Amino acid sequence: SIGAWAFEESDKLQSVVIEGNVPAIPEGCFIYLSSLTSVTLPASVREIGIDAFNQCKTGLLTLPASLEVIGERAFSNNGITQLTIPNKVTTIGNSAFSANDIETIDLPASLTSLSGVAFEWKSAKTIICRAVNVPQVVTTQNNPTPFNNAISSDCVLKVPAESLSEYQAAWGSYFNTIEAIE
């Protein structure tokens, strides 16, 4: 295991390769390491904790297929422009990917809970949500509006055809266009 805040003061750390059977990257583990540009996580990681990589500069990010939970601000302000979220992820926390310019967001079928401010929605052009059941949208007192700025960016939400009407009823006020995945 790795302890919370383990590398908080390691401001010269540029690259990390974690090997072995590590189930979680804990809270604040690599927070504020602006020199950290390369991260390799083992296939055993199921959870990435709150602020784990907040304000690092990982850029391109590959998440392990075993991942299930992405905590609050886990990858906030990382310079990420492309992202694939693994098929086992069920929860994406508040501001998990905020302050990143990701144009296409592909959410897996396993998703059950999504923070309304998990992403910088105004950067998004296309959001694909593969979950047949509309994920619960979690809001906070400081961020009461889900999908903040999604409409202003004219992004398109694509969802499973069999759930189109459910998404339109639940998320229709946040997106100008909701259509079936082709």
Side-chain angles (χ1 to χ4, degrees):
S1 69
I2 301 171
W5 309 95
F7 299 96
E8 175 187 15
E9 300 295 326
S10 305
D11 60 349
K12 296 190 190 302
L13 189 62
Q14 296 177 356
S15 178
V16 171
V17 176
I18 300 172
E19 296 176 341
N21 190 21
V22 178
I25 305 300
E27 178 178 358
C29 192
F30 298 97
I31 191 169
Y32 305 134
L33 301 184
S34 60
S35 60
L36 183 61
T37 58
S38 175
V39 175
T40 303
L41 300 174
S44 58
V45 171
R46 293 186 313 275
E47 181 174 354
I48 296 176
I50 296 170
D51 291 317
F53 295 96
N54 187 347
Q55 297 190 38
C56 296
K57 298 300 174 202
T58 55
L60 184 60
L61 180 65
T62 302
L63 298 172
S66 58
L67 190 62
E68 297 172 10
V69 176
I70 301 170
E72 295 179 18
R73 298 173 308 278
F75 295 98
S76 180
N77 197 17
N78 269 235
I80 299 168
T81 57
Q82 297 179 351
L83 176 68
T84 299
I85 298 178
N87 290 329
K88 290 185 179 181
V89 171
T90 60
T91 304
I92 301 175
N94 184 42
S95 299
F97 295 96
S98 67
N100 289 290
D101 293 323
I102 306 169
E103 288 190 9
T104 301
I105 299 169
D106 196 338
L107 303 171
S110 56
L111 192 66
T112 59
S113 177
L114 173 68
S115 169
V117 292
F119 294 88
E120 192 72 37
W121 300 111
K122 66 184 176 188
S123 301
K125 302 295 182 224
T126 304
I127 299 168
I128 303 164
C129 187
R130 298 179 186 281
V132 173
N133 296 318
V134 179
Q136 173 191 4
V137 176
V138 180
T139 59
T140 66
Q141 185 175 359
N142 294 336
N143 298 300
T145 306
F147 311 111
N148 193 24
N149 296 318
I151 289 177
S152 64
S153 73
D154 290 323
C155 68
V156 175
L157 174 64
K158 297 183 178 192
V159 299
E162 65 266 32
S163 305
L164 184 60
S165 61
E166 288 86 353
Y167 276 94
Q168 289 169 332
W171 296 0
S173 61
Y174 308 117
F175 297 94
N176 287 331
T177 306
I178 301 177
E179 58 188 44
I181 298 170
E182 297 174 8

